[in-house]
Amino acid sequence: MKIEEVLKSTVPMNNSKKIILNVLYTQNVITENFSEILKPYEISGEQYNVLRILRGQKGNPANMCVIQERMVAKTSNTTRLVDKLLLKDLVTRKVCPENRRKIEVLITQKGLDILKELDPKVIAHEEFFSKNLSSEEIVQLNQLLEKYRNQ
Amino acid sequence: MKIEEVLKSTVPMNNSKKIILNVLYTQNVITENFSEILKPYEISGEQYNVLRILRGQKGNPANMCVIQERMVAKTSNTTRLVDKLLLKDLVTRKVCPENRRKIEVLITQKGLDILKELDPKVIAHEEFFSKNLSSEEIVQLNQLLEKYRNQ
DNA sequence: ATTTTATATTTGTATATACAAATGATAATT
DNA sequence: AATTATCATTTGTATATACAAATATAAAAT
């Protein structure tokens, strides 16, 4: 559906505004769809993001600032996100012995197990949308978004 | 910047995942940039969205459910958004005489004045990003996002 | 050695969002 | 006419987010 129909726009809008609304609305659609997948596991999208970052570390601990700079939403409060994951035993947290300002966060086996169970569902989610596009269009969309962002 | 660089990804990712992350990250960049514009006016992006919907009504009142269905984020709590706008005298709210379940929300002159003052800044914001693309690319990006969303 | 600056993280607080339940009004059914 | 169903909105509550201030440690400067 075109963005004007989605938002039942009464006034015509130019293509620059349409991109903004299309990106915002598409993000909403993606996020809501993904939340449904995560619901049975009782973790939020942001918490999932942290777990993925930790798994990507391949056994090495990540500090809070490393997690932060790899998050999609850079402004979210990493401390409290890790708090939530800690309560569910999905991560461990300890003070870094070399630099006691830093915190070392590691994903637990339980965390890895949940990610493993989620993996096929996450791939299905990604393809649920991208299957509407040809492989050329997929590449093109990524390029256009990256070009669009570059101020 | 490519999305892998932005998120300092250690593991390679396929293009379907890249689209998800590109959309989510681009939304964040747009929203943060726009919040800066709105900051001096002390309204949030969602509140601005409501004001735009009300102006689009061209003098006709909008009910809560009309506002809701035209919002970009359909899940936000319209009642409380309108509460905030009411406190700042940017809208009026009264019970619809024909159907007392409904609420009629109208933008005030003060609301219209703020929108008018914001208009050029909003257009500049839209073009700040889209200026990176040719007019063909702008059309293409809109088409791809719309096609991508269509399940 | 002490002070200053920079870094890493946490905490406080106000606001926003998500979702279910409650309220009140109208329409449909018996 | 009374009951039930539907609709429109609000409210309660728990959680999330945004942003500034506080804390604690380390490094640099005096």
Side-chain angles (χ1 to χ4, degrees), chain A residues 77-94:
Chain A
N77 194 321
T78 314
T79 300
R80 283 191 266 243
L81 271 175
V82 171
D83 284 347
K84 295 286 155 62
L85 293 170
L86 210 56
L87 283 174
K88 296 170 199 154
D89 290 315
L90 303 179
V91 302
T92 60
R93 175 165 60 182
K94 62 165 197 152

Side-chain angles (χ1 to χ4, degrees), chain B residues 30-85:
Chain B
I30 292 172
T31 305
E32 272 171 34
N33 194 292
F34 194 54
S35 298
E36 284 303 306
I37 293 170
L38 294 179
K39 206 173 241 174
Y41 300 88
E42 289 178 305
I43 56 173
S44 69
E46 293 293 272
Q47 288 170 22
Y48 174 79
N49 196 193
V50 173
L51 290 179
R52 284 298 297 261
I53 290 163
L54 294 176
R55 180 169 69 175
Q57 292 291 102
K58 297 182 197 300
N60 301 314
N63 318 320
M64 301 304 264
C65 60
V66 166
I67 297 173
Q68 183 119 347
E69 69 182 7
R70 295 188 184 185
M71 295 284 288
V72 180
K74 309 289 184 196
T75 53
S76 54
N77 195 320
T78 314
T79 300
R80 283 191 268 242
L81 271 175
V82 171
D83 284 347
K84 294 286 155 61
L85 292 171

Side-chain angles (χ1 to χ4, degrees), chain B residues 108-120:
Chain B
T108 62
Q109 189 57 47
K110 190 177 170 193
L112 289 168
D113 291 345
I114 286 186
L115 285 189
K116 188 138 209 158
E117 205 177 318
L118 272 165
D119 281 341

Side-chain angles (χ1 to χ4, degrees), chain A residues 1 3 15-19 22 26 126 128-130 132 137 142 146-151, chain B residues 1 3 15-19 22 26 126 128-130 132 137 142 146-151:
Chain A
M1 217 196 313
I3 193 69
N15 288 320
S16 297
K17 184 182 289 294
K18 270 188 211 171
I19 294 185
N22 257 323
T26 306
E126 287 159 8
F128 175 71
F129 292 105
S130 68
N132 298 322
E137 287 173 325
N142 274 314
E146 283 162 1
K147 197 170 171 189
Y148 177 75
R149 265 199 321 264
N150 284 346
Q151 301 89 356
Chain B
M1 219 197 307
I3 192 69
N15 288 321
S16 297
K17 185 182 291 293
K18 270 188 211 170
I19 294 185
N22 257 324
T26 306
E126 287 159 7
F128 175 70
F129 293 105
S130 69
N132 297 323
E137 286 174 326
N142 275 314
E146 283 162 1
K147 197 171 171 191
Y148 177 75
R149 266 199 320 264
N150 285 345
Q151 302 87 359

Side-chain angles (χ1 to χ4, degrees), chain A residues 1-3 6-8 10-11 14-30 32 52 56 58 69-75 122 125-130 132-133 137-142 144-151, chain B residues 1-3 6-8 10-11 14-30 32 52 56 58 69-75 122 125-130 132-133 137-142 144-151:
Chain A
M1 217 196 313
K2 287 193 190 303
I3 193 69
V6 172
L7 306 178
K8 303 183 200 247
T10 50
V11 276
N14 68 48
N15 288 320
S16 297
K17 184 182 289 294
K18 270 188 211 171
I19 294 185
I20 305 264
L21 295 174
N22 257 323
V23 171
L24 267 53
Y25 182 66
T26 306
Q27 181 269 343
N28 267 286
V29 171
I30 292 172
E32 272 172 35
R52 284 298 297 262
K58 298 182 197 303
E69 69 182 8
R70 296 188 183 185
M71 295 284 288
V72 180
K74 309 289 184 197
T75 53
V122 172
H125 168 255
E126 287 159 8
E127 283 163 5
F128 175 71
F129 292 105
S130 68
N132 298 322
L133 303 181
E137 287 173 325
I138 291 174
V139 172
Q140 213 169 28
L141 178 50
N142 274 314
L144 286 171
L145 285 169
E146 283 162 1
K147 197 170 171 189
Y148 177 75
R149 265 199 321 264
N150 284 346
Q151 301 89 356
Chain B
M1 219 197 307
K2 289 195 189 301
I3 192 69
V6 172
L7 306 178
K8 303 184 198 244
T10 49
V11 276
N14 67 48
N15 288 321
S16 297
K17 185 182 291 293
K18 270 188 211 170
I19 294 185
I20 305 264
L21 296 174
N22 257 324
V23 171
L24 267 54
Y25 182 66
T26 306
Q27 182 269 341
N28 267 287
V29 171
I30 292 172
E32 272 171 34
R52 284 298 297 261
K58 297 182 197 300
E69 69 182 7
R70 295 188 184 185
M71 295 284 288
V72 180
K74 309 289 184 196
T75 53
V122 172
H125 168 254
E126 287 159 7
E127 283 164 4
F128 175 70
F129 293 105
S130 69
N132 297 323
L133 304 180
E137 286 174 326
I138 291 174
V139 172
Q140 214 169 26
L141 179 49
N142 275 314
L144 286 172
L145 285 169
E146 283 162 1
K147 197 171 171 191
Y148 177 75
R149 266 199 320 264
N150 285 345
Q151 302 87 359

